[in-house]
Amino acid sequence: MQHKTPIGVFDSGYGGLTVLKEMVALLPQYDFIYLGDNARAPYGTRSFESVYQYTLESVQWLFEKNCHLVVLACNTASAKALRSIQQIDLQKMGNEKRVLGVIRPTTELIGSYSKSNHIGILATSGTVSSQSYPIEIGKFFPKAKVFQQACPMLVPLVENNELRNSGCDFFVKKYVDQLLQQSSDIDTILLGCTHFPLLYDKIREYCPPSIQIISQGEIVANSLADYLHRHTRIESRLSQNSEREFYTTDSALEFDQHASLFYGKDIAAKHAQLKNS
Ligand code: DGL
């Protein structure tokens, strides 16, 4: 009989906790291990090669923790590393491991939120330059027009807990204005970075009330539930003791101080030493 193992969840830092929170709410019976690569965050302005390398090392670390199913709760890693990991690295490891991302489940649904078929995306520079959102949304909603705005300052502001200062307002307003200037028909804005739900109230403040703002957490959690329902062999190998473990490649103490803001609960993290971090 095969050993039962937790679901691995990965992000460059704290942002994936906004997704984990929704997964735990929907699927409380499963065990989860979270890894934040805070020592090397943010990923959003890094090259394809760096994001791929860092994400692969993190996924391998979660595999060594015995996870056989890992969710990249990070748009930048999903945009820049997921395909290579799925098509190259997992092939070499045999067929027992699975890695899922957040972009596909989001693009399968986002078009159904928009009446005008004009969708705005706020994301990191890496996610925007990968063109993953326009390409993937085009597959499911061919009539949709997608407008993207890179927000390179937002992840550092969130990671450094600078959400309440006027500098944060300045950048949120600037990016929202730049997005909305691209089309007056945008009626739906996707927060295409798992850090941005923390900025929801500020983004709301600078958007007309008629525009709806969509976070990914619930969408990704529902998609995971559906995946487990459809893949019974993978599901049957998941442990179900409602246990959560948290790891960071940076200081565990610092992680604990900031993480509750994202996860909504206190966390006691441990330090993870990755091969090259
Ligand atoms: N949470 C990551 C995302 O969804 C942020 C990436 C970063 O570290 O810049 O893209």
Side-chain angles (χ1 to χ4, degrees), residues 8 24 47 57 64 68 85 89 98 106 114 118 163 182 184 186 190 196 204 207 219 222 232 239-240 242 251 262 271:
V24 165
S47 67
E57 284 165 17
E64 279 158 27
H68 66 277
I85 291 176
D89 303 289
R98 294 287 184 278
T106 308
S114 172
H118 285 59
L163 298 172
Q182 296 181 46
S184 54
I186 294 172
L190 169 71
F196 295 176
R204 181 74 277 168
C207 276
I219 296 175
N222 283 324
T232 47
S239 52
Q240 300 192 31
S242 302
S251 149
F262 296 79
H271 178 72

Side-chain angles (χ1 to χ4, degrees), residues 146-264:
V146 179
F147 302 88
Q148 304 189 91
Q149 179 59 48
C151 311
M153 290 304 292
L154 298 189
V155 172
L157 284 164
V158 174
E159 283 280 314
N160 289 290
N161 205 15
E162 296 284 357
L163 298 172
R164 278 174 206 89
N165 75 24
S166 53
C168 190
D169 279 276
F170 173 84
F171 284 108
V172 169
K173 181 174 181 331
K174 172 181 154 142
Y175 296 140
V176 168
D177 287 350
Q178 284 175 346
L179 177 65
L180 296 181
Q181 274 158 19
Q182 296 181 46
S183 167
S184 54
D185 289 329
I186 294 172
D187 69 350
T188 304
I189 293 182
L190 169 71
L191 305 185
C193 171
T194 56
H195 282 69
F196 295 176
L198 271 282
L199 294 165
Y200 181 93
D201 290 346
K202 279 207 189 302
I203 295 170
R204 181 74 277 168
E205 211 178 299
Y206 294 111
C207 276
S210 58
I211 295 181
Q212 53 183 338
I213 301 168
I214 310 293
S215 298
Q216 289 174 298
E218 254 181 78
I219 296 175
V220 175
N222 283 324
S223 164
L224 177 64
D226 179 55
Y227 179 88
L228 296 180
H229 189 67
R230 287 184 290 109
H231 296 82
T232 47
R233 220 171 71 82
I234 292 174
E235 195 280 337
S236 67
R237 291 174 53 213
L238 294 172
S239 52
Q240 300 192 31
N241 305 303
S242 302
E243 287 173 3
R244 293 71 178 93
E245 276 187 87
F246 299 88
Y247 290 86
T248 173
T249 54
D250 210 338
S251 149
L253 203 64
E254 205 169 309
F255 190 86
D256 295 351
Q257 281 164 5
H258 294 141
S260 60
L261 204 61
F262 296 79
Y263 189 58

Side-chain angles (χ1 to χ4, degrees), residues 11-12 15-16 41-45 73-77 124 127 155 192-195:
D11 180 48
S12 59
Y43 280 15
T45 44
C74 175
N75 288 271
T76 311
T124 66
T127 300
V155 172
C193 171
T194 56
H195 282 69

